[in-house]
Amino acid sequence: MKKNATIYILSLSSLVCLMWMLGLGWVLVDYAQGSKKELNTPNTLTAKAPSGGVQLLALGDSLTRGTGDQAGKGYIGYLKDKLAEKTNEKITLTNYGVKGATSKELAAQIKQQEIQRQAKNADIIFITIGGNDLFQGGETLSHIDDNTIADLSASYNQNLKEILTTIRFTNKEAPIYLIGLYNPFSDLENSEATSKIVRDWNYASAETSSAFAKTIFVPTYDIFQQNVQTYLYSDHFHPNKQGYELMADRVASLISWEVEEN
């Protein structure tokens, strides 16, 4: 009786041990596969960038996204087309524009691993940012308060410094083109006051960007100042196709030599 019990206990112990070893084996296999997947993830700083040609990186808000353009290209899409006409180099565009983005959000976005990789390999970088910081859906300019605008400007320029510092740490050579703001409300009441606010905002942005090497501020205020509604989408805020094309013309006129040299 005792002998049978001993055999039963030994058999049960062996079975439990075998199951434990099998379970450990599955855990180790799963762990190894998981580690392999992590190492093979393409969105890492060590991922290989496309070779050859000119790499364009577009960052920013809905203007970079192309909101208001029925073709969905925006200024950066038309700009790519214009630059492609002036070079035999292959031009690759990576667009990370986010509708509604603020400077604070962009400052956080460019610290993401994939954005860092793209910035590191970019030949030319373009940024539209600040419109949502200032206009806030039209609230700021419909209820003008000098102290509020001063605070918004100070916060924005601090974020802009952080954005440009991060980019320059990652890529010291690529020219950066910061696109200035236009005034979509220049044909409404208080147009003189709102226009001055936008001009002052652009002046501060240009001053901030001038402290960074190879960083060019691109004015767009004058493009929209005359007959602003002609160049705006039906929301009376974003550019339409014609407005975006004019923005692309302005930027292209400043960087055509960059493409020719690459």
Side-chain angles (χ1 to χ4, degrees):
M1 183 69 177
K2 290 183 179 180
K3 183 178 179 180
N4 291 337
T6 301
I7 294 174
Y8 175 79
I9 292 172
L10 288 174
S11 300
L12 181 61
S13 299
S14 299
L15 180 61
V16 170
C17 183
L18 179 61
M19 292 178 65
W20 180 84
M21 292 179 66
L22 287 173
L24 177 61
W26 281 112
V27 169
L28 292 175
V29 169
D30 186 63
Y31 177 83
Q33 290 177 340
S35 299
K36 185 177 180 181
K37 289 178 182 177
E38 185 176 352
L39 291 173
N40 290 337
T41 300
N43 294 338
T44 63
L45 290 174
T46 57
K48 186 176 180 181
S51 58
V54 180
Q55 309 294 325
L56 308 181
L57 175 62
L59 304 169
D61 50 28
S62 55
L63 298 185
T64 294
R65 195 72 264 160
T67 302
D69 178 18
Q70 290 183 336
K73 298 174 71 170
Y75 88 92
I76 193 66
Y78 295 116
L79 176 59
K80 178 189 176 184
D81 293 343
K82 293 177 186 297
L83 297 180
E85 295 173 358
K86 301 179 181 181
T87 180
N88 292 323
E89 293 274 8
K90 177 183 177 182
I91 298 181
T92 302
L93 168 63
T94 304
N95 188 338
Y96 281 102
V98 178
K99 185 176 180 179
T102 64
S103 60
K104 182 178 180 180
E105 291 168 338
L106 178 57
Q109 183 193 30
I110 62 170
K111 294 176 183 177
Q112 295 174 8
Q113 209 169 44
E114 175 62 11
I115 308 293
Q116 289 276 295
R117 183 183 74 84
Q118 295 290 348
K120 180 180 180 180
N121 293 291
D123 294 302
I124 312 177
I125 299 171
F126 306 92
I127 302 173
T128 63
I129 201 69
N132 295 306
D133 294 70
L134 172 58
F135 298 128
Q136 298 190 0
E139 280 296 312
T140 304
L141 300 187
S142 63
H143 301 89
I144 297 175
D145 180 88
D146 291 340
N147 292 329
T148 298
I149 293 171
D151 290 342
L152 291 173
S153 179
S155 178
Y156 164 74
N157 280 282
Q158 186 59 43
N159 292 331
L160 181 59
K161 288 179 184 178
E162 184 178 347
I163 291 166
L164 296 176
T165 298
T166 302
I167 293 174
R168 272 289 162 256
F169 181 80
T170 304
N171 187 329
K172 293 180 171 55
E173 298 299 324
I176 302 171
Y177 292 85
L178 175 65
I179 316 302
L181 301 187
Y182 58 90
N183 181 12
F185 309 111
S186 62
D187 63 340
L188 303 179
E189 293 182 7
N190 296 326
S191 61
E192 185 174 342
T194 59
S195 293
K196 183 180 185 305
I197 290 169
V198 175
R199 290 197 306 270
D200 290 345
W201 185 281
N202 283 333
Y203 178 80
S205 299
E207 285 292 295
T208 297
S209 62
S210 67
F212 294 84
K214 296 185 178 181
T215 302
I216 301 94
F217 180 83
V218 183
T220 63
Y221 175 88
D222 59 305
I223 295 176
F224 293 85
Q225 185 64 11
Q226 299 296 325
N227 300 318
V228 63
Q229 293 304 326
T230 302
Y231 306 127
L232 292 184
Y233 181 55
S234 58
D235 62 3
H236 304 289
F237 188 77
H238 293 95
N240 55 22
K241 180 178 185 292
Q242 189 177 3
Y244 278 123
E245 287 180 324
L246 290 174
M247 290 175 64
D249 285 337
R250 173 64 56 81
V251 182
S253 69
L254 297 175
I255 66 172
S256 58
W257 64 274
E258 294 282 359
V259 175
E260 290 169 1
E261 286 190 357
N262 275 284

